[in-house]
């Protein structure tokens, strides 16, 4: 298929474009910043540009990965999030419907599921178990608000047009250090997050390709590395996560000590990607077990960590 990929110069886009090509698709990239896979420079908020690009390149399906993200809150006003994340999504959806596209893939975020009470800590039953049925949804910032509203546009237009839409609520895959957590940090934090809320950017890209090729109807998916835990362990995770981790990985503490890392004392939410495996045939290749295996062997850590990464949107 001839695929329009938005956000083609970003961290996800630069990994996703080659995978789409490898899968046999012809990719046209659209981004506000130049990049190796970007042919059209401009904003998805520019309705005329979106419709012209879809027509000029004979686009047959859209993968909408472009957005303002949570770190952009300090750089852009709220209106920019509405323009890019909401109006831009509407422009793309309506262009896709007008062109008769059979499918549309939308990159959303697990961040919109993190209500105030979730952010405050575990619930009465222990760690929050967050799959596609988790709710109610009550985003805590303009990023989450704009993404949830865009999701609802996807659902509305899919219902009205019959276009198949996959909404991918991706866990963390950004390469830079966390902008709010300092202890632990860097590689240690990223490794810990593979227990409950992270995946590699390459696995995130693979999920988009799977969604493009296999989606039917309109479905929402949580996209993250599979947690090694069960729901029955939720209460213990919130009080003594190390005991649960060591039950599943007996040498984890030893491997972490050798790396001068620390395991988490508590895990207060867990993202469950089982639906994506069931309906899309997708499963993250890198999980916490793979991180420990790299530590055992002394291999390079497959974490996708890059403290030098600078989003191209900051210089566009």
């Amino acid at each position: 298929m001839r695929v329009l990929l938005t956000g083609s110069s970003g961290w996800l886009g630069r990994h996703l474009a080659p995978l789409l090509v490898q899968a046999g698709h012809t990719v046209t990239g659209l981004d506000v910043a130049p990049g190796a896979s970007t042919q059209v420079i401009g904003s998805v908020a520019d309705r005329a540009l979106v419709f012209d690009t879809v027509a000029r390149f004979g686009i047959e399906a859209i993968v909408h990965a472009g957005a303002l993200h949570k770190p952009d809150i300090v750089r852009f006003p709220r209106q920019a999030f509405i323009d890019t994340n909401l109006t831009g999504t509407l422009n793309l959806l309506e262009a896709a419907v007008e062109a008769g596209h059979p499918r549309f893939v939308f990159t959303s975020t697990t961040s919109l599921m993190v209500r105030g009470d979730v952010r405050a800590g575990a619930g009465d039953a222990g760690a929050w178990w967050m799959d596609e049925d988790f709710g109610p949804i009550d985003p805590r910032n303009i990023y989450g608000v704009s993404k949830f509203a865009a999701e609802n546009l996807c659902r509305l237009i899919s219902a009205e047009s019959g276009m198949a839409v996959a909404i991918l609520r991706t866990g963390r895959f950004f390469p830079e250090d966390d902008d709010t957590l300092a202890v632990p940090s860097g590689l240690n934090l990223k490794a810990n997050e593979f227990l409950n809320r992270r995946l590699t950017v390459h696995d995130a890209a693979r999920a988009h390709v799977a969604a493009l090729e296999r989606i039917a109807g309109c479905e929402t998916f949580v996209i993250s590395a599979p947690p090694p835990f069960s729901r029955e362990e939720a209460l213990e995770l919130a009080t003594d996560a190390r005991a649960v981790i060591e039950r599943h990985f007996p040498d984890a503490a030893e491997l972490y000590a050798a790396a001068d890392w620390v395991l988490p004392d508590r895990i207060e939410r867990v993202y469950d990607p089982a639906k994506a495996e069931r309906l899309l045939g997708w499963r993250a290749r890198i999980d916490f077990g793979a991180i420990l295996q790299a530590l055992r062997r002394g291999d390079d850590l497959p974490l996708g960590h890059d403290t030098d990464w600078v989003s191209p949107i900051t210089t566009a």
Side-chain angles (χ1 to χ4, degrees):
M1 286 188 293
R2 292 184 293 275
V3 176
L4 175 62
L5 172 62
T6 70
S8 50
S9 299
W11 181 245
L12 175 60
R14 63 188 281 194
H15 291 83
L16 178 49
L19 285 188
L20 287 167
V21 172
Q22 290 172 23
H25 303 290
T26 300
V27 178
T28 298
L30 187 157
D31 203 301
V32 295
S37 299
T38 298
Q39 291 76 40
V40 181
I41 305 295
S43 171
V44 293
D46 185 338
R47 185 176 179 85
L49 176 67
V50 167
F51 276 73
D52 175 72
T53 299
V54 169
R56 181 158 48 101
F57 290 90
I59 300 300
E60 298 170 299
I62 294 176
V63 177
H64 180 25
L68 289 181
H69 298 280
K70 190 259 185 183
D72 295 317
I73 291 175
V74 299
R75 297 190 285 261
F76 295 92
R78 292 190 183 98
Q79 186 62 52
F81 282 82
I82 300 303
D83 294 343
T84 300
N85 293 358
L86 190 56
T87 301
T89 302
L90 178 62
N91 290 339
L92 290 158
L93 285 164
E94 292 188 336
V97 170
E98 181 177 284
H101 292 180
R103 59 197 67 186
F104 186 101
V105 179
F106 175 63
T107 310
S108 190
T109 174
T110 52
S111 177
L112 61 81
M113 302 163 68
V114 184
R115 307 180 306 240
D117 57 342
V118 174
R119 188 169 180 79
D124 293 340
W128 301 98
W129 204 267
M130 305 177 76
D131 60 13
E132 296 78 9
D133 295 325
F134 180 82
I137 301 298
D138 184 18
R140 70 187 187 277
N141 54 40
I142 187 61
Y143 172 50
V145 167
S146 64
K147 279 295 196 177
F148 189 46
E151 283 191 5
N152 284 329
L153 282 177
C154 289
R155 296 184 185 100
L156 173 67
I157 292 178
S158 175
E160 290 179 348
S161 67
M163 181 171 61
V165 177
I167 299 166
L168 305 187
R169 289 181 179 170
T170 58
R172 291 182 161 203
F173 58 81
F174 56 78
E176 65 268 35
D177 283 333
D178 189 277
D179 62 347
T180 57
L181 299 176
V183 180
S185 62
L187 297 177
N188 189 171
L189 176 60
K190 282 183 166 55
N192 288 358
E193 289 177 339
F194 274 86
L195 286 161
N196 65 314
R197 62 186 299 192
R198 177 170 283 276
L199 73 166
T200 66
V201 67
H202 189 266
D203 277 330
R206 289 179 50 247
H208 284 72
V209 176
L212 177 66
E213 296 179 344
R214 301 189 62 169
I215 187 60
C218 182
E219 297 283 356
T220 302
F221 300 94
V222 169
I223 302 296
S224 189
F229 317 116
S230 68
R231 289 176 185 258
E232 289 71 28
E233 294 172 304
L235 187 59
E236 190 178 3
L237 282 170
T239 56
D240 190 1
R242 292 187 183 187
V244 185
I245 295 165
E246 290 180 36
R247 186 161 63 240
H248 289 273
F249 305 99
D251 63 343
E254 180 183 353
L255 291 168
Y256 261 51
D260 199 24
W261 287 357
V262 294
L263 290 166
D265 293 319
R266 295 177 301 279
I267 291 177
E268 297 182 320
R269 60 181 183 264
V270 176
Y271 298 151
D272 184 353
K275 180 181 176 181
E277 183 170 1
R278 187 173 68 253
L279 296 188
L280 300 179
W282 172 87
R283 181 182 175 91
R285 291 173 177 167
I286 301 300
D287 57 13
F288 187 70
I291 305 302
L292 294 185
Q293 184 73 314
L295 289 174
R296 290 187 195 102
R297 295 176 174 176
D299 294 341
D300 291 339
L301 294 168
L303 295 174
H305 185 64
D306 183 357
T307 57
D308 295 327
W309 164 256
V310 177
S311 171
I313 200 171
T314 62
T315 57

